[in-house]
Amino acid sequence: MLSDIPDLYTLAHPGDEIRKKLSSLFDGMMKLLFREKGAEFRVEILAEPAVQDFIGAHASVLDSAFTKVEMSDVMRRRLQRSNYIFSGMKTFHELNEAFPSIIDEDGNKKPFERFLNDVRAIDHTYNENYLRAEYNFVSASAEMAAKWEQFMEDGDRYNLQYRTQKDDRVRPEHAVLDRVTLQPSDPFWEEFYPPNGWNCRCNVVQVRKSKYAETPHDEAMRLGNAALQRDAKGIFHFNPGIERKTFPDYNPYTIRRCRDCDIANGKLKLSVHIPDNEVCAACKIVREMRNQYSVVPTTNGKVRIHQMHGKGEKAENIAVASYFAEKHGYEIDLLPNLPNEKSADAFNHTLGIKQEYKVNTLPTKSAIDNEIRKAAKQADHIVLRIDSDISLGTLSNAIRGRVNQCKELKSLVIIRNGQDLTLSREQIMTPGFKIQREDFI
């Protein structure tokens, strides 16, 4: 486990600004978790936008560990994918660990501020202490994966030699591998290629065959097993260059059978049935969310659409999201339609809210009332695009009447003639409320 990492100086670590961003996104996840209903943790929460934001930010931190390392585009994409999956599984553990803290010792739900204060330790442990070791491991894995690509270009022309840093920080168990020399095709490198542990600084270099004698294979394997004797679970027996992964499939956030999982090894599609296990279910959700969004071209902001986004309203929703991106620079995801669940059309990452989009085509009070009524069942924040010639007076009356009945509604955005107006519930319920033409921007 990460709690077993040796007491070594860190090679590098993310900066304070990144740490603040992760902490802020962690708080957003905790707000979402706190609103969960029911006594059991729900794995599906991993698909929620606030959680996806955190996973993406955490993965980006790990990606930054090798931005300047030269490697093929294919290798870089595979390593980034590995970072995302690792971040997703780590986030699953954070949420799962935080969930019981919602309830106090008497079985009552805590006030949110107390809950948030109680889970601060989880944020500190996972996203500060552990993240340093993970960042260093990714940096070392990426460096060695890039080297492996170079080694493979030369085939067995040169031998490979294991090197330590030869200073007082080298672990004795790693020191025994120093100067082990073998051909690149030797199976030794499949198991004992660096990094061989948290904060491992070992290296491998090419050497001329005439200069160094080869180490007998059996002797090298014996030394390798001695070097990783503390790795009782066999987590670090992998080669990031061969597997094109920054972390092995079996790591502190997964389970032993992940090493042989067909989904992890790319042998099965994600739609197949997997064992009824929370870790397996979490892994499947993380991989699906990674693969199923595509980018909608915009000249400003950002719009992504999930492949399970509703087909009937797809064109209209893309148009609304693109309007916001182009005009206001918003970053928006058009969300999947989840069966049997209250699912909004979009998540506005810039504003941090889910929104339901509706389009009005009939210039009547009842049409507006109907659109808002249906939208309020899906989200507390609504966007209504006016494609009819309804008068502002009729529109105002319809909005006020329906919002008065939709007690959970928090905001309403009106788009009309290429302009928009954002209204809070408080504004709408103000006596004498009426929308004016000059209110739009």
Side-chain angles (χ1 to χ4, degrees):
M1 294 294 293
L2 271 169
S3 55
D4 299 326
I5 61 174
D7 184 17
L8 295 175
Y9 297 103
T10 55
L11 305 178
H13 62 84
D16 290 339
E17 288 303 313
I18 291 176
R19 176 73 190 100
K20 289 178 182 177
K21 180 180 179 181
L22 280 178
S23 185
S24 175
L25 291 173
F26 178 88
D27 289 356
M29 277 203 311
M30 293 303 106
K31 289 178 182 177
L32 175 69
L33 185 67
F34 187 78
R35 292 197 296 268
E36 282 284 286
K37 297 178 180 178
E40 294 185 2
F41 176 73
R42 201 172 56 89
V43 180
E44 291 77 12
I45 196 173
L46 285 167
E48 292 287 343
V51 179
Q52 288 293 308
D53 271 358
F54 180 84
I55 294 172
H58 188 282
S60 295
V61 172
L62 299 181
D63 291 347
S64 71
F66 55 91
T67 53
K68 295 182 180 179
V69 179
E70 292 186 8
M71 63 182 73
S72 70
D73 290 341
V74 172
M75 178 67 81
R76 189 175 300 278
R77 287 195 299 270
R78 290 293 296 273
L79 297 184
Q80 290 173 339
R81 182 173 184 270
S82 178
N83 283 343
Y84 184 89
I85 294 168
F86 179 86
S87 298
M89 295 309 296
K90 177 181 177 180
T91 301
F92 160 71
H93 282 274
E94 293 179 56
L95 289 165
N96 205 12
E97 190 172 321
F99 186 71
S101 295
I102 294 175
I103 305 300
D104 65 18
E105 55 277 5
D106 296 322
N108 300 314
K109 192 169 186 178
K110 297 175 184 176
F112 175 70
E113 290 304 323
R114 180 184 170 190
F115 164 71
L116 188 59
N117 184 65
D118 289 346
V119 297
R120 289 288 184 204
I122 295 174
D123 181 33
H124 178 77
T125 298
Y126 280 86
N127 303 311
E128 189 165 344
N129 294 345
Y130 290 177
L131 184 56
R132 290 195 183 97
E134 293 159 358
Y135 185 89
N136 293 340
F137 192 84
V138 166
S139 179
S141 285
E143 287 276 3
M144 297 311 298
K147 278 196 164 191
W148 187 259
E149 277 197 314
Q150 297 170 7
F151 297 157
M152 290 303 96
E153 290 181 4
D154 291 327
D156 279 345
R157 179 181 176 188
Y158 299 99
N159 281 342
L160 302 183
Q161 187 174 85
Y162 199 102
R163 298 275 180 90
T164 67
Q165 295 297 321
K166 286 191 172 298
D167 57 26
D168 59 3
R169 290 164 53 198
V170 175
R171 280 162 269 193
E173 56 267 32
H174 287 196
V176 301
L177 287 175
D178 191 58
R179 295 303 191 270
V180 164
T181 306
L182 293 160
Q183 294 184 19
S185 57
D186 194 287
F188 170 87
W189 301 115
E190 296 176 12
E191 288 197 64
F192 304 111
Y193 189 76
N196 283 314
W198 303 113
N199 289 326
C200 174
R201 300 173 299 135
C202 296
N203 193 13
V204 171
V205 298
Q206 287 180 315
V207 295
R208 294 195 303 273
K209 293 185 175 184
S210 59
K211 187 173 182 179
Y212 296 93
E214 283 191 30
T215 307
H217 170 76
D218 290 345
E219 173 67 8
M221 295 299 289
R222 183 186 68 79
L223 293 173
N225 285 316
L228 269 65
Q229 59 184 322
R230 291 183 61 187
D231 180 23
K233 296 181 179 179
I235 290 176
F236 297 110
H237 290 247
F238 94 116
N239 181 320
I242 293 176
E243 298 191 26
R244 295 183 177 182
K245 296 173 181 178
T246 50
F247 292 98
D249 292 322
Y250 180 35
N251 58 62
Y253 305 120
T254 60
I255 54 180
R256 188 181 296 274
R257 71 170 182 260
C258 292
R259 282 190 297 213
D260 301 315
C261 175
D262 286 336
I263 293 177
N265 292 321
K267 296 179 182 178
L268 289 176
K269 293 182 179 180
L270 290 172
S271 59
V272 301
H273 174 72
I274 58 174
D276 187 16
N277 175 283
E278 279 199 351
V279 174
C280 295
C283 176
K284 184 172 183 285
I285 290 171
V286 169
R287 290 172 185 273
E288 285 180 336
M289 297 307 294
R290 165 71 177 179
N291 294 333
Q292 295 188 0
Y293 275 99
S294 57
V295 175
V296 176
T298 56
T299 58
N300 190 30
K302 184 177 182 180
V303 176
R304 299 191 315 160
I305 184 168
H306 195 277
Q307 69 176 29
M308 291 175 60
H309 187 71
K311 295 181 179 179
E313 300 175 338
K314 183 176 179 180
E316 292 177 349
N317 290 344
I318 289 176
V320 172
S322 298
Y323 167 85
F324 285 131
E326 298 282 5
K327 186 170 182 178
H328 299 292
Y330 291 161
E331 293 191 7
I332 297 172
D333 280 352
L334 295 175
L335 303 172
N337 282 57
L338 303 177
N340 304 319
E341 287 194 29
K342 177 181 176 180
S343 52
D345 283 327
F347 182 74
N348 188 316
H349 290 267
T350 307
L351 302 180
I353 57 174
K354 285 184 177 181
Q355 294 176 311
E356 178 70 11
Y357 295 166
K358 291 296 180 183
V359 175
N360 163 252
T361 56
L362 297 175
T364 63
K365 180 179 178 180
S366 61
I368 296 293
D369 180 88
N370 190 46
E371 294 294 352
I372 298 176
R373 178 181 57 79
K374 290 188 294 184
K377 294 179 180 180
Q378 303 301 114
D380 299 334
H381 301 273
I382 297 173
V383 175
L384 181 61
R385 192 181 77 185
I386 304 298
D387 284 358
S388 69
D389 58 356
I390 189 169
S391 70
L392 292 182
T394 302
L395 178 62
S396 301
N397 290 335
I399 289 173
R400 182 177 169 82
R402 174 47 60 181
V403 171
N404 185 46
Q405 298 181 57
C406 298
K407 304 300 183 183
E408 302 299 319
L409 189 63
K410 295 178 181 177
S411 74
L412 174 66
V413 180
I414 306 295
I415 301 176
R416 179 176 178 269
N417 297 330
Q419 296 181 303
D420 58 271
L421 168 64
T422 299
L423 298 165
S424 67
R425 179 181 184 83
E426 291 72 21
Q427 288 175 302
I428 295 171
M429 299 312 300
T430 300
F433 165 76
K434 186 174 183 180
I435 300 172
Q436 305 292 336
R437 184 175 285 103
E438 56 267 25
D439 293 334
F440 288 86
I441 59 172

